[in-house]
Amino acid sequence: MDFEFYNPTHLIFGAGKLAQLGDVAGKHGKKALIVTGGGSVKRSGIFDKAVASLNAAGVAYAECEGVEPNPRITTVRRGAQIARDEGSDVIIALGGGSTMDAAKVIAAAVLYDGDPWDLIGHGQENWVIPNQALPIITVPTLAATGSEMNCGAVISNDETKVKSFVQTECLFPKVALVDPELTLSVPKDQTAYGVCDIITHVTEGYFNGVDGTPIQDRFAEGVILNTIAWGQKAVADGSDLEARAQVQWASIVALNGFVQAGVEMLPPVHMIEHALSAHHDITHGAGLAVVNPAWMRFAAKARPAKFVQFAERIFGLRAKNSNDLDCALKGIERFEDFLKSIGCPTRLSELGIDDALFSQYADDAVLVLHDEDGNLLGRPPMSKEDIVGVLRSAL
Ligand code: NZQ
Ligand code: ZN
């Protein structure tokens, strides 16, 4: 193994921690821009509590509301303009992954003179990767993406139908203020999609990483097993604060880099899903629930041993030998059954997607992460025909 691990985000975790927002923000600025989504934080009272805490600490604020799920670059442009006009010096993201991602790119866009779309990788010749951003404080209201404690952001361009990412050091939040009480109002379906997203973050590294990472394998399996167990409880009873807290902690560790340390994770399932949500505006976790099992069946044929390990360690199956493809496929079936049991879709038809744009999705999926032959990076690398084949198997 040969790697570096770095995550500078200060994590503050626990029920009731929202009350600390003012003190936390006051350490990083005097005038905050609060970024919010489509209104859930207003309806639940979370916004009012956040403002009360800022007022008590003497931190002024302006607002950028209306970040949409699958956040648009137009919203980032609007948010950056508000931050400039208001003289904001710290950005607070109060919402789900979409709100956090938009807030992160707004924080960088404020300090960038060009168009914020330059900052998102989309196959352009000169990808301007930002190296400065206003301080970011994330206050997640939904357990899913792990954006609260990582340096990535995913943004969509409605005109070009491209959804892509930026991942760079200056986008690490200064503080992730994580209060599981804020997730009590998340509806059942979004809770389930979040659970799927968390597990998929871990399976991407588990199945697409380098060999010889036994400790990371065990971390990954621990996150998966706990997300299944506590995710079922959170879906069954959204008011179960303990379940909400466990799922939220899982969402953080699943993508704050720790489980992936030394793994050299590649995310082919995410690249394919992002192409689907760019065109159809579906929920990310719901798209993953369809793509991940289909991708697993494809990849298991090339490399059954890791999928046998998954089947044995996650679902307690017994293989005839370490390359037992039947056992590998049984494990994938059990995983798919779990996704169905919590209410996730597992077929494209359930998302209202047919085969009309399959080759377009394949083109889009390889836009940024591809090898010199144009194959999507992963284990194994995928040709465009492979991607179409996986999608066809998920119809
Ligand atoms: O917009 P509001 O009104 O807030 O409602 C949201 C939205 O409708 C609602 N919601 C959030 N918190 C709630 C709530 N409803 C009731 N009570 C609450 N406490 O849930 C809906 C979905 O929200 P969204 O933020 O879109 O969901 P999620 O957290 O799953 O974020 C998805 C986005 O993150 C990207 C995805 O591609 C997608 O664009 N990702 C970001 C990553 C990252 N930065 O590391 C990694 C991920 O793999 C992912 O790609
Ligand atoms: Zn994801």
Side-chain angles (χ1 to χ4, degrees):
M1 293 181 87
D2 182 351
F3 66 95
E4 287 187 25
F5 173 72
Y6 176 71
N7 189 320
T9 299
H10 177 182
L11 173 64
I12 301 173
F13 188 101
K17 296 292 185 203
L18 178 62
Q20 293 182 15
L21 179 62
D23 289 340
V24 165
K27 289 188 184 127
H28 296 280
K30 289 190 169 52
K31 182 153 191 193
L33 179 74
I34 309 181
V35 182
T36 63
S40 71
V41 294
K42 303 270 171 89
R43 290 190 291 278
S44 62
I46 293 170
F47 184 80
D48 289 343
K49 285 186 190 159
V51 166
S53 178
L54 292 173
N55 285 338
V59 178
Y61 74 93
E63 216 190 319
C64 170
E65 56 187 351
V67 176
E68 51 285 273
N70 298 316
R72 310 295 199 270
I73 194 65
T74 45
T75 303
V76 171
R77 291 182 188 122
R78 176 169 63 83
Q81 195 52 50
I82 298 172
R84 280 196 200 104
D85 293 346
E86 299 285 342
S88 308
D89 55 7
V90 54
I91 307 288
I92 298 174
L94 189 62
S98 297
T99 295
M100 291 189 280
D101 286 2
K104 285 171 166 177
V105 184
I106 288 169
V110 175
L111 304 178
Y112 174 63
D113 280 340
D115 180 11
W117 189 239
D118 300 347
L119 310 175
I120 307 298
H122 54 273
Q124 72 271 50
E125 217 161 279
N126 294 313
W127 182 355
V128 183
I129 298 184
N131 56 18
Q132 52 175 353
L134 292 179
I136 300 157
I137 296 169
T138 48
V139 187
T141 62
L142 196 163
T145 63
S147 182
E148 56 270 32
M149 200 180 172
N150 69 39
C151 64
V154 183
I155 302 293
S156 297
N157 186 322
D158 234 5
E159 280 168 32
T160 58
K161 297 287 174 214
V162 169
K163 174 176 178 173
S164 193
F165 67 94
V166 54
Q167 194 174 359
T168 188
E169 199 175 316
C170 70
L171 298 185
F172 273 115
K174 294 282 183 232
V175 182
L177 187 65
V178 183
D179 181 343
E181 279 181 1
L182 310 190
T183 66
L184 291 172
S185 56
V186 177
K188 215 179 254 294
D189 57 350
Q190 292 291 343
T191 304
Y193 304 155
V195 164
C196 177
D197 193 20
I198 295 165
I199 295 174
T200 309
H201 292 156
V202 175
T203 60
E204 294 272 42
Y206 191 79
F207 292 121
N208 293 288
V210 295
D211 291 330
T213 57
I215 293 178
Q216 302 316 108
D217 281 3
R218 289 299 193 182
F219 283 147
E221 290 153 7
V223 175
I224 295 169
L225 287 167
N226 277 283
T227 307
I228 289 175
W230 290 99
Q232 276 167 331
K233 291 184 200 210
V235 170
D237 176 6
S239 67
D240 182 341
L241 183 59
E242 182 59 15
R244 292 290 194 182
Q246 296 303 335
V247 172
Q248 193 150 32
W249 178 222
S251 82
I252 294 168
V253 292
L255 204 58
N256 73 353
F258 191 67
V259 170
Q260 292 83 12
V263 163
E264 296 174 36
M265 163 184 171
L266 295 165
V269 175
H270 271 70
M271 293 302 105
I272 298 171
E273 193 292 319
H274 287 172
L276 297 179
S277 44
H279 287 272
H280 301 280
D281 205 14
I282 55 171
T283 303
H284 172 61
L288 293 174
V290 172
V291 177
N292 202 17
W295 174 85
M296 285 177 165
R297 291 191 174 95
F298 160 81
K301 289 185 194 114
R303 193 172 165 234
K306 200 63 186 268
F307 291 85
V308 167
Q309 180 177 303
F310 177 80
E312 291 197 321
R313 293 185 182 180
I314 303 298
F315 294 109
L317 302 179
R318 282 282 148 261
K320 289 194 228 63
N321 56 61
S322 60
N323 281 312
D324 180 353
L325 184 59
D326 284 345
C327 177
L329 293 173
K330 273 252 155 50
I332 297 165
E333 197 181 314
R334 291 282 292 275
F335 175 53
E336 197 173 48
D337 288 346
F338 162 72
L339 294 172
K340 280 186 209 159
S341 77
I342 58 168
C344 287
T346 54
R347 314 305 306 171
L348 285 172
S349 53
E350 293 174 73
L351 298 170
I353 297 175
D354 60 23
D355 62 359
L357 294 176
F358 273 6
S359 69
Q360 181 67 53
Y361 310 142
D363 287 346
D364 294 351
V366 301
L367 203 58
V368 180
L369 293 185
H370 55 79
D371 63 20
E372 62 266 22
D373 300 320
N375 296 315
L376 177 59
L377 294 178
R379 287 190 79 174
M382 298 176 87
S383 67
K384 290 183 185 169
E385 292 71 36
D386 292 333
I387 297 171
V388 169
V390 163
L391 290 170
R392 199 163 292 290
S393 76
L395 273 170

